[in-house]
Amino acid sequence: NSMNALIFAAGLGTRLKPLTDTMPKAMVPIHGKPLVQILIEKLKTIGVDHIVINVHHFAQQIIDFVEACNHFGIDIQFSDETDMLLETGGGLKKAACLFPNADPILVHNVDILSNADLLSLYNTATATTLLVSDRKTQRYLLFDTDECLVGWVNMATGQVKSPHPELLEHNGDSTYFQQHSALKKHAFAGIQVFFPSLLPFMNTWQGKFSIIDFYLSICDKVPIHCHFDPQLQLLDVGKLDTIAKAEEWFQ
């Protein structure tokens, strides 16, 4: 039973300067071990045997490191975005063709550390599924009572993105979204299971685009599920102050 995973490692890591002036975010060490290695080893442990890593910023450092580690004994390929950063949607579209089969793809940001049960997330997904949490933020994904994506809202401005007219008519009215109990507001955790059956919907999307914007354009036609884990502990190692937290976590 093969498992596919895509690691998003192309980002510039601007919030991690000055570290990322000389290395890509994926090579930032936690207790001496690069983030990309921590993630590859975790994925290998749960049985992932095909990994694609998208690369852009200091791409060669990541490639050289993985090759020096003999690809960690599994099939690891690179989706080269050196010419242009394609963001999450464009990055996934470009990388998808590198997988040897049409099995679902576990997609994971390189700078996310978590206690998520990735194997369970992958095995129980029946459609494209986003791991979500109830962390406090201004921008939330909106899900209905069936845990299907219906929209996105910025609670500060009330701005809405949705293919559903009945949600769009409340654009600018954040009170509506605060009080509407049938709409579940969740924060995306940077980990998801993508079903390649959605790729044909991407045909009209070119260049760089957000995977979330793509989902918001099709969620009235196909189910995009959420997986809410109340026990989820998540650390986004995107800023310098979180590196110290990450090192504590690993101790």
Side-chain angles (χ1 to χ4, degrees), residues 62-96:
I62 302 174
I63 296 168
D64 290 348
F65 173 72
V66 170
E67 290 183 345
C69 297
N70 296 314
H71 289 222
F72 296 89
I74 52 177
D75 170 39
I76 300 180
Q77 297 183 66
F78 299 93
S79 181
D80 189 345
E81 296 182 23
T82 310
D83 297 343
M84 180 169 90
L85 261 177
L86 296 172
E87 292 184 20
T88 50
L92 188 146
K93 181 179 179 177
K94 179 170 181 171

Side-chain angles (χ1 to χ4, degrees), residues 100-115:
N101 56 51
D103 292 340
I105 303 165
L106 179 67
V107 186
H108 201 302
N109 292 3
V110 75
D111 54 359
I112 298 287
L113 299 172
S114 82
N115 64 345

